Amino acid sequence: MHENIGYVNGTSIPSNHTQCLTINVPEEIFFTISVLGLLENVLVFTAVIKNKKLHLPMYFFICSLSFSDILGSLYKILENIMMILARHGHLQKKGAIEKKMDDIMDWFFVLSLLGSIFSLSAIAGDRYITIFYALRYHNIMTIRRAWIILTVIWVLGGGCGIVIVIFYDYTITVMCFTSIFFLLLVFIVCLYIHMFLLAQSHARKISSLSGQWNSVQQKTNMKGATTLTILLGVFICCWFPFILHLFLFIFCPQNPYCACYMSTMYVNCTLILCNSVIDPFIYAFRSPELRSTFKKMLCC
């Protein structure tokens, strides 16, 4: 692994952590959570593809978020396989082939984080349009435009990932991750403040101008915004401890309090993997159509 990119074999813990309780998580748990997250998100992909009623921009963006989770799970699965092969002498720790495999895996990890951030931003934008431009939503957010947005997300994410892996510098990489992470928070929070402060008055205004708007439509749109809130909350809870770990590793690596926090690294890494497992349950819980598709697929 590039030192400190991988979130399990990554950031080392300072030597003064000896007075702190280091919490280790067995590799079997990492592997099990990763496989479960991979299978669940593949199920989401398959459900959206099979059910034509789900061929909507909102679900395409959910698939994009799901693909990010797949990459995160796949990263850990491949890492576990490489560790097992290296342990039995089938791989060298610093061989040319192993170096290339490390680069690919690191790219998966970076792309997983960036893809999640960009996909959540796309979902937020989509929910904003449904609330404030409800009568023109289908003209604004067409399938073609949704695909263009998805193309931009993954080309941009993939390009950034390649640059980070090739020109890797720990401090710069962490600062980029931290900046993007908090910019997402600022963007989403501002969007939500605007949405929830003005949504009700905007809905009443539309209602007085057109009979096409009704309470059912309003509830549907607000339900979509609530789903995004839950997804964002889970994302922050699962990723923030790890981002904070990276941040502390730069600015206070020898501080005993920082060292004690960094001794929980494996717990923070487990939270990242749990994000991939939790997201599909949120989709199913919030979407009756998707939940129904899951049931049909699993019962067959």
Side-chain angles (χ1 to χ4, degrees), residues 200-210:
Q200 297 300 324
S201 60
H202 187 76
R204 287 194 295 269
K205 181 178 178 181
I206 293 180
S207 180
S208 64
L209 295 175
S210 174

Side-chain angles (χ1 to χ4, degrees), residues 13-23 255-264:
I13 300 172
S15 59
N16 62 349
H17 82 290
T18 53
Q19 296 181 352
C20 304
L21 177 62
T22 301
I23 304 175
N255 183 288
Y257 296 103
C258 295
C260 281
Y261 178 82
M262 287 187 281
S263 67
T264 64

Side-chain angles (χ1 to χ4, degrees), residues 127 130-131 134 213 216-226:
R127 293 303 87 196
T130 61
I131 292 175
W213 180 273
V216 175
Q217 181 67 44
Q218 180 183 350
K219 290 179 179 178
T220 300
N221 292 339
M222 293 306 295
K223 182 178 180 180
T226 304

Side-chain angles (χ1 to χ4, degrees), residues 73-86:
S73 298
L74 190 59
Y75 164 87
K76 183 52 191 165
I77 292 173
L78 292 176
E79 184 185 57
N80 273 27
I81 293 174
M82 287 186 65
M83 289 175 64
I84 293 172
L85 292 176

Side-chain angles (χ1 to χ4, degrees), residues 230-269:
I230 298 172
L231 288 171
L232 179 65
V234 170
F235 175 78
I236 293 172
C237 290
C238 291
W239 278 90
F240 179 77
F242 175 74
I243 297 294
L244 179 59
H245 175 100
L246 299 180
F247 194 77
L248 294 178
F249 189 83
I250 292 178
F251 293 101
C252 60
Q254 300 305 319
N255 183 288
Y257 296 103
C258 295
C260 281
Y261 178 82
M262 287 187 281
S263 67
T264 64
M265 177 183 67
Y266 292 99
V267 176
N268 298 338
C269 297

Side-chain angles (χ1 to χ4, degrees), residues 38-86:
L38 178 65
L39 294 177
E40 286 183 5
N41 285 283
V42 168
L43 183 64
V44 172
F45 247 95
T46 307
V48 173
I49 292 174
K50 291 188 64 174
N51 190 342
K52 292 185 178 180
K53 293 182 180 179
L54 299 177
H55 291 186
L56 302 170
M58 172 65 176
Y59 288 101
F60 290 159
F61 295 144
I62 285 178
C63 275
S64 179
L65 182 60
S66 187
F67 184 66
S68 301
D69 291 336
I70 288 175
L71 289 176
S73 298
L74 190 59
Y75 164 87
K76 183 52 191 165
I77 292 173
L78 292 176
E79 184 185 57
N80 273 27
I81 293 174
M82 287 186 65
M83 289 175 64
I84 293 172
L85 292 176

